[in-house]
Amino acid sequence: MIRELKRVSLVVATMFLALFISASTIQAVENQSLTDDPRNVRSLYEAYKTLRGPILVDGKPIASSVESDDAYRYLRVYDNPMYSAITGYFSVFRGATGVEAALNSYLSGQSSSQFFEKFNAVLSGNPVSGAAVELTIDPLMQQAAWDALGDLQGSVVALDPTTGNILAMVSKSGFDANELAGHDNQVVADNYEKLEIDPTKPLINKTISGDLYHPGSVFKLVVAAAALESGLYTNESVLQNPSSIRLPNSTAEVFNATERACGAGGATVTLLEAMSLSCNIPFVELGLALGQDRI
């Protein structure tokens, strides 16, 4: 009898331990990831009870929250469609995308880094407010990129080469995020369906997703810059100019656009000639010689 009681006690204790570990993991370890999960509808509803922080460009809000006269208390408002690919949208019916999704925990005031603000809100009885998020976008460059694309489909990205900060990010065709941020479910659903079936795919940020092209010959600029920066090559450095090359540890062969030796067909070309003629083979050889660390 005592043996059976010990066995039952061991099983019960094991179950309590498993429950304790599971609950602790969910509440402590996975708290942030569960809060940020776009499928967490309860988190989204909860976010509408707080004043969501603005998204700023050059100190001015391009996305902000205003009071509404319905149960959701606040409505998300977007300043300009040219920023919609960046901000994405925040919708009670469609979830969140873009910066709204990526930095949701900060914007909604739920980030672990805002612990003291939340603690102070509890003590003072004031509601928690979301943090503001400042982007690196330059409004003049963003406007110039938007205007330059005009009615074309495509994308423009401008980076600060020193810091890597994104100064402009434009994707066309675009959309008005306000059409998806409303509180009328039917209106939002109709707007979303219209955007979803649009063959130009306005909801896709073409700078970072969708049917992206590989960089192609543009990457020759990177290899050439690495070669010159290494001090091992100059514009007049001589590179071999065969008609094809087999890639190392592979059966794949690379050819020039003409499937012949580049340029006049000589046995060699200079680095400057290879760049001006966009020679594939010499740049493959140059990249292999430099190695990935220099590149």
Side-chain angles (χ1 to χ4, degrees), residues 135-208:
L135 304 183
T136 60
I137 297 295
D138 182 314
L140 296 179
M141 295 185 69
Q142 182 76 5
Q143 185 70 60
W146 178 267
D147 293 342
L149 266 181
D151 295 329
L152 299 174
Q153 296 178 40
S155 62
V156 175
V157 180
L159 306 178
D160 183 329
T162 304
T163 62
N165 288 343
I166 298 176
L167 303 178
M169 178 183 280
V170 171
S171 177
K172 285 195 174 180
S173 62
F175 68 99
D176 185 353
N178 292 299
E179 294 182 350
L180 303 176
H183 294 168
D184 187 318
N185 185 17
Q186 189 58 55
V187 172
V188 171
D190 292 343
N191 290 338
Y192 184 85
E193 183 179 5
K194 179 180 66 177
L195 293 168
E196 183 71 9
I197 64 175
D198 189 328
T200 64
K201 303 297 182 184
L203 292 176
I204 293 178
N205 183 352
K206 298 174 180 64
T207 63
I208 58 173

Coordinates of all heavy atoms in Angstrom, one line a residue, residues 135-208:
L135 N 12.7 57.0 -37.1 CA 13.3 56.3 -38.2 C 14.5 57.1 -38.7 O 14.7 58.3 -38.5 CB 12.3 56.1 -39.3 CG 11.0 55.4 -39.0 CD1 10.2 55.2 -40.2 CD2 11.3 54.0 -38.4
T136 N 15.4 56.4 -39.5 CA 16.6 57.1 -40.1 C 16.2 57.7 -41.4 O 17.1 58.3 -42.1 CB 17.7 56.1 -40.3 OG1 17.3 55.0 -41.1 CG2 18.2 55.5 -38.9
I137 N 15.0 57.6 -41.9 CA 14.6 58.1 -43.2 C 14.8 59.7 -43.3 O 14.4 60.4 -42.3 CB 13.1 57.8 -43.4 CG1 12.9 56.3 -43.5 CG2 12.6 58.5 -44.7 CD1 13.6 55.6 -44.7
D138 N 15.4 60.1 -44.4 CA 15.5 61.5 -44.7 C 14.3 61.9 -45.5 O 14.1 61.4 -46.6 CB 16.8 61.8 -45.4 CG 17.0 63.3 -45.7 OD1 16.0 63.9 -46.2 OD2 18.1 63.7 -45.6
P139 N 13.4 62.8 -45.0 CA 12.2 63.1 -45.7 C 12.4 63.7 -47.1 O 11.6 63.5 -48.0 CB 11.5 64.2 -44.8 CG 12.5 64.7 -43.9 CD 13.5 63.6 -43.7
L140 N 13.5 64.5 -47.3 CA 13.7 65.0 -48.6 C 14.1 64.0 -49.6 O 13.7 64.0 -50.8 CB 14.8 66.1 -48.5 CG 14.5 67.4 -47.7 CD1 15.7 68.3 -47.6 CD2 13.2 68.1 -48.2
M141 N 15.0 63.0 -49.1 CA 15.4 61.9 -50.0 C 14.2 61.0 -50.3 O 14.1 60.5 -51.4 CB 16.5 61.1 -49.4 CG 17.8 62.0 -49.3 SD 19.2 61.0 -48.6 CE 19.5 59.9 -50.0
Q142 N 13.4 60.8 -49.3 CA 12.2 59.9 -49.5 C 11.2 60.5 -50.5 O 10.7 59.9 -51.4 CB 11.4 59.8 -48.2 CG 10.2 58.8 -48.2 CD 10.5 57.4 -48.3 OE1 11.7 57.0 -48.2 NE2 9.5 56.5 -48.4
Q143 N 11.0 61.9 -50.4 CA 10.2 62.5 -51.4 C 10.8 62.5 -52.8 O 10.0 62.3 -53.8 CB 10.0 64.0 -51.0 CG 9.0 64.8 -51.8 CD 7.5 64.3 -51.6 OE1 7.0 64.4 -50.5 NE2 6.9 63.8 -52.7
A144 N 12.1 62.7 -52.9 CA 12.8 62.7 -54.2 C 12.6 61.3 -54.9 O 12.4 61.2 -56.1 CB 14.2 63.1 -54.0
A145 N 12.8 60.3 -54.1 CA 12.7 58.9 -54.6 C 11.3 58.6 -55.0 O 11.0 58.0 -56.1 CB 13.2 57.9 -53.5
W146 N 10.3 59.0 -54.2 CA 8.9 58.8 -54.5 C 8.5 59.5 -55.8 O 7.9 59.0 -56.7 CB 8.1 59.4 -53.4 CG 6.6 59.3 -53.6 CD1 5.7 60.2 -54.1 CD2 5.7 58.1 -53.3 NE1 4.4 59.8 -54.1 CE2 4.4 58.5 -53.6 CE3 6.0 56.9 -52.7 CZ2 3.3 57.6 -53.4 CZ3 4.9 56.0 -52.6 CH2 3.6 56.4 -52.9
D147 N 9.0 60.8 -56.0 CA 8.7 61.5 -57.2 C 9.4 61.0 -58.4 O 8.8 60.9 -59.5 CB 9.1 63.0 -57.0 CG 8.2 63.7 -55.9 OD1 7.1 63.2 -55.6 OD2 8.7 64.8 -55.4
A148 N 10.6 60.5 -58.2 CA 11.4 60.0 -59.4 C 10.8 58.7 -59.9 O 10.8 58.5 -61.2 CB 12.8 59.7 -58.9
L149 N 10.2 57.9 -59.1 CA 9.5 56.7 -59.6 C 8.2 57.0 -60.4 O 7.9 56.3 -61.3 CB 9.2 55.7 -58.4 CG 10.2 54.6 -58.1 CD1 9.8 53.7 -57.0 CD2 10.5 53.8 -59.4
G150 N 7.6 58.1 -60.0 CA 6.4 58.5 -60.7 C 5.3 57.4 -60.7 O 5.0 56.8 -59.7
D151 N 4.9 57.0 -61.9 CA 3.9 56.0 -62.1 C 4.5 54.6 -62.4 O 3.7 53.7 -62.7 CB 2.9 56.4 -63.2 CG 2.1 57.6 -62.9 OD1 1.8 57.9 -61.7 OD2 1.8 58.4 -63.9
L152 N 5.8 54.5 -62.3 CA 6.4 53.3 -62.6 C 6.3 52.3 -61.4 O 6.0 52.7 -60.3 CB 7.9 53.5 -62.8 CG 8.3 54.4 -64.0 CD1 9.8 54.6 -64.0 CD2 7.9 53.7 -65.3
Q153 N 6.4 51.0 -61.6 CA 6.4 50.0 -60.6 C 7.9 49.7 -60.3 O 8.7 49.5 -61.2 CB 5.7 48.8 -61.0 CG 4.2 49.0 -61.3 CD 3.5 47.7 -61.7 OE1 3.8 46.6 -61.2 NE2 2.6 47.8 -62.7
G154 N 8.2 49.6 -59.0 CA 9.5 49.2 -58.6 C 9.8 49.8 -57.2 O 8.9 50.0 -56.4
S155 N 11.1 49.9 -56.9 CA 11.5 50.3 -55.6 C 12.8 51.1 -55.7 O 13.6 51.0 -56.6 CB 11.7 49.1 -54.7 OG 12.7 48.2 -55.2
V156 N 13.0 51.9 -54.6 CA 14.2 52.7 -54.5 C 14.7 52.6 -53.0 O 13.8 52.8 -52.1 CB 14.0 54.2 -54.9 CG1 15.3 55.0 -54.6 CG2 13.6 54.3 -56.3
V157 N 15.9 52.3 -52.8 CA 16.5 52.3 -51.5 C 17.8 53.1 -51.5 O 18.6 53.0 -52.4 CB 16.8 50.9 -51.0 CG1 17.4 50.9 -49.6 CG2 15.6 50.0 -51.0
A158 N 17.9 54.0 -50.5 CA 19.2 54.8 -50.4 C 19.7 54.6 -49.0 O 19.0 54.7 -48.0 CB 18.9 56.3 -50.6
L159 N 21.0 54.2 -48.9 CA 21.7 53.9 -47.7 C 22.8 54.9 -47.4 O 23.4 55.4 -48.3 CB 22.3 52.5 -47.7 CG 21.3 51.4 -48.0 CD1 22.1 50.1 -48.0 CD2 20.2 51.3 -47.0
D160 N 23.0 55.2 -46.1 CA 24.2 55.9 -45.7 C 25.4 54.9 -45.7 O 25.4 53.9 -44.9 CB 24.0 56.5 -44.3 CG 25.2 57.3 -43.8 OD1 26.3 57.0 -44.2 OD2 25.0 58.2 -43.0
P161 N 26.4 55.0 -46.6 CA 27.4 54.0 -46.7 C 28.3 53.9 -45.4 O 29.0 52.9 -45.2 CB 28.3 54.5 -47.9 CG 28.0 56.0 -48.0 CD 26.6 56.2 -47.5
T162 N 28.3 55.0 -44.6 CA 29.1 54.9 -43.4 C 28.4 54.1 -42.3 O 29.1 53.3 -41.6 CB 29.4 56.4 -42.9 OG1 30.0 57.1 -43.9 CG2 30.3 56.4 -41.7
T163 N 27.1 54.3 -42.1 CA 26.4 53.7 -41.0 C 25.5 52.6 -41.4 O 25.1 51.8 -40.6 CB 25.6 54.8 -40.3 OG1 24.6 55.3 -41.2 CG2 26.4 55.9 -39.7
G164 N 25.2 52.5 -42.7 CA 24.2 51.5 -43.1 C 22.7 52.0 -42.9 O 21.8 51.2 -43.2
N165 N 22.5 53.2 -42.3 CA 21.2 53.7 -42.1 C 20.4 53.8 -43.4 O 21.0 54.2 -44.4 CB 21.2 55.0 -41.4 CG 21.7 54.9 -39.9 OD1 21.6 53.8 -39.4 ND2 22.1 56.0 -39.4
I166 N 19.1 53.4 -43.4 CA 18.3 53.6 -44.5 C 17.8 55.0 -44.6 O 17.1 55.5 -43.7 CB 17.1 52.6 -44.5 CG1 17.6 51.2 -44.5 CG2 16.2 52.8 -45.7 CD1 16.6 50.1 -44.4
L167 N 18.1 55.7 -45.6 CA 17.7 57.1 -45.8 C 16.4 57.3 -46.6 O 15.7 58.3 -46.5 CB 18.9 57.9 -46.4 CG 20.2 57.9 -45.7 CD1 21.3 58.7 -46.4 CD2 20.0 58.4 -44.2
A168 N 16.2 56.4 -47.5 CA 15.0 56.4 -48.3 C 14.6 55.0 -48.6 O 15.5 54.1 -48.9 CB 15.2 57.2 -49.6
M169 N 13.3 54.7 -48.6 CA 12.8 53.4 -49.0 C 11.4 53.5 -49.6 O 10.4 53.8 -48.9 CB 12.7 52.4 -47.7 CG 12.1 51.1 -48.1 SD 12.0 50.0 -46.6 CE 13.7 49.4 -46.4
V170 N 11.3 53.4 -50.9 CA 10.1 53.6 -51.6 C 9.7 52.4 -52.4 O 10.6 51.8 -53.0 CB 10.2 54.8 -52.6 CG1 9.0 54.9 -53.5 CG2 10.4 56.1 -51.8
S171 N 8.5 52.0 -52.3 CA 7.9 50.8 -53.1 C 6.7 51.3 -53.8 O 5.8 51.8 -53.2 CB 7.7 49.7 -52.1 OG 7.1 48.6 -52.8
K172 N 6.6 51.0 -55.1 CA 5.5 51.3 -55.9 C 5.1 50.1 -56.8 O 6.0 49.4 -57.2 CB 5.7 52.5 -56.8 CG 5.7 53.9 -56.0 CD 5.6 55.0 -57.0 CE 5.5 56.3 -56.3 NZ 5.4 57.5 -57.2
S173 N 3.8 49.9 -57.0 CA 2.7 50.8 -56.6 C 2.5 50.7 -55.1 O 2.8 49.7 -54.4 CB 1.4 50.4 -57.3 OG 1.0 49.1 -56.9
G174 N 2.0 51.8 -54.5 CA 1.9 51.9 -53.0 C 0.4 51.8 -52.6 O -0.5 51.4 -53.4
F175 N 0.2 52.1 -51.4 CA -1.2 52.0 -50.8 C -1.4 53.0 -49.7 O -0.4 53.5 -49.1 CB -1.6 50.6 -50.4 CG -0.8 50.1 -49.1 CD1 -1.4 50.2 -47.9 CD2 0.5 49.7 -49.2 CE1 -0.7 49.8 -46.7 CE2 1.2 49.3 -48.1 CZ 0.6 49.3 -46.8
D176 N -2.6 53.3 -49.4 CA -2.9 54.2 -48.3 C -3.2 53.4 -47.0 O -4.2 52.7 -47.0 CB -4.0 55.1 -48.6 CG -4.3 56.1 -47.5 OD1 -3.7 56.1 -46.5 OD2 -5.2 57.0 -47.8
A177 N -2.3 53.4 -46.0 CA -2.5 52.5 -44.9 C -3.7 52.9 -44.1 O -4.2 52.1 -43.3 CB -1.2 52.7 -44.0
N178 N -4.2 54.1 -44.3 CA -5.5 54.5 -43.6 C -6.7 53.6 -44.0 O -7.6 53.5 -43.2 CB -5.8 56.0 -43.9 CG -4.8 56.9 -43.2 OD1 -4.6 56.9 -42.0 ND2 -4.1 57.7 -44.0
E179 N -6.6 53.1 -45.2 CA -7.7 52.2 -45.7 C -7.8 50.9 -44.9 O -8.9 50.3 -45.0 CB -7.5 52.0 -47.2 CG -7.7 53.2 -48.1 CD -7.5 52.8 -49.5 OE1 -7.2 51.7 -49.8 OE2 -7.8 53.7 -50.4
L180 N -6.7 50.5 -44.2 CA -6.7 49.3 -43.5 C -6.7 49.5 -42.0 O -6.8 48.5 -41.2 CB -5.5 48.4 -43.9 CG -5.4 48.1 -45.4 CD1 -4.1 47.4 -45.7 CD2 -6.6 47.3 -45.9
A181 N -6.7 50.7 -41.6 CA -6.6 51.0 -40.1 C -7.9 51.4 -39.5 O -8.0 51.6 -38.3 CB -5.6 52.2 -39.9
G182 N -9.0 51.4 -40.3 CA -10.3 51.8 -39.8 C -10.9 50.8 -38.9 O -10.4 49.6 -38.7
H183 N -12.0 51.1 -38.2 CA -12.6 50.2 -37.3 C -13.9 49.6 -37.8 O -14.6 48.9 -37.1 CB -13.0 51.0 -36.0 CG -11.7 51.4 -35.2 ND1 -11.8 52.4 -34.2 CD2 -10.4 51.1 -35.4 CE1 -10.5 52.5 -33.7 NE2 -9.7 51.8 -34.4
D184 N -14.2 49.8 -39.1 CA -15.4 49.2 -39.7 C -14.8 47.9 -40.5 O -14.2 48.0 -41.5 CB -16.0 50.2 -40.7 CG -17.3 49.6 -41.3 OD1 -17.4 48.4 -41.6 OD2 -18.3 50.4 -41.4
N185 N -15.2 46.8 -39.9 CA -14.7 45.5 -40.4 C -14.9 45.3 -41.9 O -14.1 44.9 -42.7 CB -15.2 44.3 -39.6 CG -14.6 43.0 -40.0 OD1 -13.5 43.0 -40.7 ND2 -15.3 41.9 -39.7
Q186 N -16.2 45.6 -42.4 CA -16.5 45.4 -43.8 C -15.8 46.3 -44.7 O -15.3 45.9 -45.8 CB -18.0 45.6 -44.0 CG -18.5 45.2 -45.3 CD -18.2 43.7 -45.6 OE1 -18.6 42.8 -44.8 NE2 -17.6 43.5 -46.7
V187 N -15.6 47.6 -44.3 CA -14.9 48.5 -45.1 C -13.4 48.1 -45.3 O -12.8 48.1 -46.3 CB -15.0 49.9 -44.5 CG1 -14.0 50.9 -45.3 CG2 -16.4 50.5 -44.6
V188 N -12.8 47.7 -44.1 CA -11.4 47.3 -44.1 C -11.2 46.0 -45.0 O -10.3 45.9 -45.8 CB -10.9 47.0 -42.7 CG1 -9.5 46.3 -42.7 CG2 -10.8 48.3 -41.9
A189 N -12.2 45.1 -44.8 CA -12.1 43.8 -45.6 C -12.2 44.1 -47.1 O -11.5 43.5 -47.9 CB -13.3 42.9 -45.2
D190 N -13.1 45.0 -47.5 CA -13.2 45.4 -48.9 C -12.0 46.0 -49.5 O -11.5 45.7 -50.6 CB -14.4 46.3 -49.1 CG -15.8 45.6 -48.9 OD1 -15.8 44.4 -48.9 OD2 -16.8 46.3 -48.7
N191 N -11.4 47.0 -48.7 CA -10.2 47.6 -49.1 C -9.0 46.7 -49.2 O -8.2 46.7 -50.1 CB -9.8 48.7 -48.1 CG -10.8 49.9 -48.1 OD1 -11.5 50.1 -49.1 ND2 -10.9 50.7 -47.0
Y192 N -9.0 45.7 -48.2 CA -7.9 44.7 -48.3 C -8.0 43.8 -49.5 O -7.0 43.5 -50.2 CB -7.9 43.9 -47.0 CG -6.7 43.0 -46.9 CD1 -5.5 43.4 -46.5 CD2 -6.8 41.6 -47.4 CE1 -4.4 42.5 -46.4 CE2 -5.8 40.8 -47.3 CZ -4.5 41.2 -46.8 OH -3.5 40.3 -46.8
E193 N -9.2 43.4 -49.8 CA -9.4 42.5 -50.9 C -9.0 43.2 -52.2 O -8.4 42.6 -53.1 CB -10.8 42.1 -51.0 CG -11.1 41.1 -52.1 CD -12.6 40.6 -52.2 OE1 -13.4 41.1 -51.4 OE2 -12.9 39.8 -53.0
K194 N -9.4 44.5 -52.3 CA -9.0 45.3 -53.5 C -7.5 45.4 -53.7 O -7.0 45.2 -54.8 CB -9.6 46.7 -53.4 CG -9.3 47.6 -54.6 CD -9.9 49.0 -54.4 CE -9.3 49.7 -53.2 NZ -9.8 51.1 -53.0
L195 N -6.8 45.6 -52.6 CA -5.3 45.7 -52.7 C -4.7 44.3 -52.9 O -3.7 44.2 -53.6 CB -4.8 46.3 -51.4 CG -5.1 47.7 -51.1 CD1 -4.8 48.1 -49.6 CD2 -4.4 48.7 -52.1
E196 N -5.3 43.3 -52.4 CA -4.8 41.9 -52.5 C -4.8 41.4 -53.9 O -3.9 40.7 -54.4 CB -5.5 41.0 -51.6 CG -5.0 39.6 -51.5 CD -3.7 39.4 -50.8 OE1 -3.2 40.3 -50.2 OE2 -3.1 38.3 -50.9
I197 N -5.9 41.7 -54.6 CA -6.1 41.2 -56.0 C -5.4 42.2 -57.0 O -5.4 41.8 -58.2 CB -7.6 41.0 -56.4 CG1 -8.3 42.4 -56.3 CG2 -8.2 40.0 -55.4 CD1 -9.8 42.2 -56.8
D198 N -4.9 43.3 -56.6 CA -4.3 44.2 -57.5 C -3.0 43.6 -58.1 O -2.1 43.1 -57.4 CB -3.9 45.5 -56.8 CG -3.4 46.6 -57.7 OD1 -2.8 46.3 -58.7 OD2 -3.6 47.8 -57.4
P199 N -2.9 43.4 -59.4 CA -1.8 42.7 -60.0 C -0.4 43.4 -59.8 O 0.6 42.8 -59.9 CB -2.1 42.7 -61.5 CG -3.1 43.9 -61.7 CD -3.9 43.9 -60.5
T200 N -0.4 44.7 -59.4 CA 0.8 45.4 -59.1 C 1.3 45.1 -57.7 O 2.4 45.6 -57.3 CB 0.7 46.9 -59.3 OG1 -0.3 47.4 -58.3 CG2 0.2 47.2 -60.7
K201 N 0.6 44.4 -56.9 CA 1.0 43.9 -55.5 C 1.4 45.1 -54.6 O 2.5 45.2 -54.1 CB 2.1 42.9 -55.6 CG 1.8 41.7 -56.4 CD 0.6 40.9 -55.8 CE 0.3 39.6 -56.6 NZ -0.8 38.9 -56.1
P202 N 0.5 46.1 -54.4 CA 0.8 47.2 -53.6 C 1.2 46.9 -52.1 O 1.9 47.7 -51.5 CB -0.4 48.1 -53.7 CG -1.5 47.2 -54.0 CD -0.9 46.1 -54.9
L203 N 0.6 45.8 -51.6 CA 0.9 45.5 -50.2 C 2.3 44.9 -50.0 O 2.7 44.8 -48.8 CB -0.2 44.5 -49.7 CG -1.6 45.0 -49.6 CD1 -2.5 43.9 -49.2 CD2 -1.6 46.2 -48.6
I204 N 3.0 44.6 -51.0 CA 4.3 44.0 -50.9 C 5.4 45.1 -50.9 O 5.4 45.9 -51.9 CB 4.6 43.0 -52.0 CG1 3.7 41.7 -51.8 CG2 6.1 42.6 -52.0 CD1 3.9 40.7 -52.9
N205 N 6.2 45.2 -49.9 CA 7.3 46.2 -49.9 C 8.4 45.6 -50.8 O 9.2 44.7 -50.4 CB 7.8 46.4 -48.5 CG 8.9 47.4 -48.4 OD1 9.4 47.9 -49.5 ND2 9.3 47.8 -47.2
K206 N 8.4 46.1 -52.0 CA 9.3 45.5 -53.1 C 10.8 45.8 -52.8 O 11.6 45.2 -53.5 CB 8.9 46.1 -54.4 CG 7.5 45.7 -54.8 CD 7.1 46.4 -56.1 CE 5.6 46.0 -56.5 NZ 4.6 46.5 -55.5
T207 N 11.1 46.6 -51.8 CA 12.5 46.8 -51.4 C 13.1 45.6 -50.7 O 14.3 45.4 -50.7 CB 12.7 48.1 -50.6 OG1 12.0 47.9 -49.4 CG2 12.2 49.3 -51.4
I208 N 12.3 44.9 -49.9 CA 12.8 43.8 -49.0 C 12.1 42.5 -49.2 O 12.4 41.5 -48.6 CB 12.7 44.2 -47.6 CG1 11.2 44.6 -47.2 CG2 13.6 45.4 -47.3 CD1 11.0 44.8 -45.7

